Amino acid sequence: NLAERLIREAGGDPEKPLFAIVPGAAFGAAKFWDTEKFAAVADDIAQRYGWQPALLCAPGEEELARQIKGYMDRPAVQPNPDEFSLDVLKPVVNRCRLMVTTDTGPRHVAEAFRVPTVVIVGPTDPRHTRTDYAARRVVRVEVPCGPCHLRTCPTDHRCMEQITPGMVIDAAEDLLQEGAS
């Protein structure tokens, strides 16, 4: 199928468990989380579980994936965003054991397919996109200036900068442990 072909063409093994890293956000730069931090999370999860990370980006976000891949110690699958329409995204996400993402559209696809999801939230109010999906964890820090709902941060981006890889990894671990019990 098309999803398997894209995974193979991106250097992945379609038979090996997959987890998604979704670093983009069409809303604006204020939703972006540091690429080095995404890489640390991806490496940790890949090492801990033996799963292959898939860097899922929309057209125009290729540089985010390239940066993350450049910081990673482990190999990552990076499907071509130009071939990554919604009809391809859905079967790829459905194959994932976990998604780590900013507050962006693919998280809702993951939740629809019952994929455990860790959502890194900064400038948006998580109540606006809340679902009753139990296998989701929102990672955010309270800051005096947030949630601001701005596309670009006028200050120091503290709502995203204060979120550490450890916080995201702990949320993923908690979520996966809960699912195993």
Side-chain angles (χ1 to χ4, degrees):
N1 75 25
L2 183 57
E4 289 179 2
R5 180 180 63 81
L6 285 176
I7 292 167
R8 191 175 291 107
E9 287 175 358
D13 178 353
E15 302 301 315
K16 191 174 178 183
L18 197 66
F19 71 98
I21 298 289
V22 185
F27 176 79
K31 284 191 178 185
F32 289 140
W33 194 48
D34 188 85
T35 53
E36 276 187 87
K37 292 177 180 180
F38 264 122
V41 169
D43 276 338
D44 185 274
I45 292 169
Q47 185 274 323
R48 194 178 297 222
Y49 295 99
W51 302 341
Q52 60 188 340
L55 304 175
L56 307 183
C57 293
E61 297 175 344
E62 298 91 334
E63 185 57 29
L64 287 173
R66 270 195 285 282
Q67 287 177 20
I68 293 168
K69 209 171 183 178
Y71 289 123
M72 289 180 65
D73 295 327
R74 297 186 169 273
V77 175
Q78 182 186 346
N80 180 349
D82 293 329
E83 293 187 47
F84 220 68
S85 60
L86 191 56
D87 62 328
V88 177
L89 175 71
K90 290 188 290 187
V92 170
V93 169
N94 193 31
R95 297 171 53 94
C96 290
R97 304 272 176 100
L98 173 73
M99 177 183 283
V100 176
T101 181
T102 56
D103 185 15
T104 190
R107 75 170 265 207
H108 300 290
V109 174
E111 291 181 14
F113 285 116
R114 306 187 66 70
V115 173
T117 307
V118 176
V119 186
I120 302 163
V121 177
T124 55
D125 189 330
R127 294 176 298 184
H128 294 179
T129 56
R130 185 181 66 220
T131 64
D132 291 332
Y133 183 53
R136 174 192 30 82
R137 295 291 179 278
V138 172
V139 179
R140 70 182 298 267
V141 294
E142 292 290 334
V143 293
C145 53
C148 68
H149 298 276
L150 297 175
R151 292 180 186 271
T152 27
C153 179
T155 61
D156 58 5
H157 207 217
R158 68 185 73 168
C159 61
M160 294 298 269
E161 290 295 324
Q162 290 180 21
I163 297 172
T164 66
M167 293 164 72
V168 175
I169 292 164
D170 288 348
E173 183 71 15
D174 177 57
L175 190 55
L176 295 168
Q177 290 291 330
E178 186 177 287
S181 53

